[in-house]
Amino acid sequence: MDAAHGQQHPPGLYLKVWGLLFILSTLSYLVDFYHLAGYLRWSLIVALMLLKAGLIVAVFMHLRWERAALVGAIVLPPLCLLALLALMLLEARHTLATRLLYFG
């Protein structure tokens, strides 16, 4: 295969991913339909959203077939931001607990 023509992926792959995205979207809708609340609701919504975004980036944006250095350059910064966000959440809970203990 000539490099100038690019790489072709089988249409079945795209149809399978489209079907999986449809199933994940249906599950996301069912979270609201069954009136789940609290942390369970939000964790399911975020998990399903991240799965859908990962599938879209991996297959439709062809990141799955890129070199590891490029994948690391694209995926690593958001993962670092998520880790920092988790640390800020822990710090915020500690600060709130301290304020409630001493001022409330």
Side-chain angles (χ1 to χ4, degrees):
M1 177 180 283
D2 189 14
H5 290 100
Q7 184 177 6
Q8 295 291 323
H9 303 292
L13 173 69
Y14 294 110
L15 291 174
K16 288 176 189 173
V17 171
W18 182 83
L20 190 55
L21 287 171
F22 182 77
I23 290 170
L24 291 173
S25 295
T26 302
L27 291 174
S28 181
Y29 172 75
L30 289 175
V31 168
D32 282 333
F33 183 76
Y34 286 114
H35 303 292
L36 297 176
Y39 286 122
L40 176 64
R41 175 183 184 209
W42 291 111
S43 61
L44 285 174
I45 287 174
V46 169
L48 291 169
M49 175 192 62
L50 289 174
L51 283 172
K52 289 189 293 186
L55 275 172
I56 290 168
V57 169
V59 177
F60 294 115
M61 296 176 72
H62 306 286
L63 197 59
R64 165 101 168 74
W65 297 279
E66 291 294 335
R67 290 183 299 180
L70 181 63
V71 172
I74 293 173
V75 174
L76 198 58
L79 290 177
C80 290
L81 287 176
L82 284 175
L84 290 174
L85 184 69
L87 289 173
M88 287 189 295
L89 179 65
L90 291 172
E91 177 68 22
R93 286 186 180 188
H94 172 70
T95 303
L96 178 63
T98 304
R99 286 181 181 176
L100 290 175
L101 179 66
Y102 290 107
F103 301 120

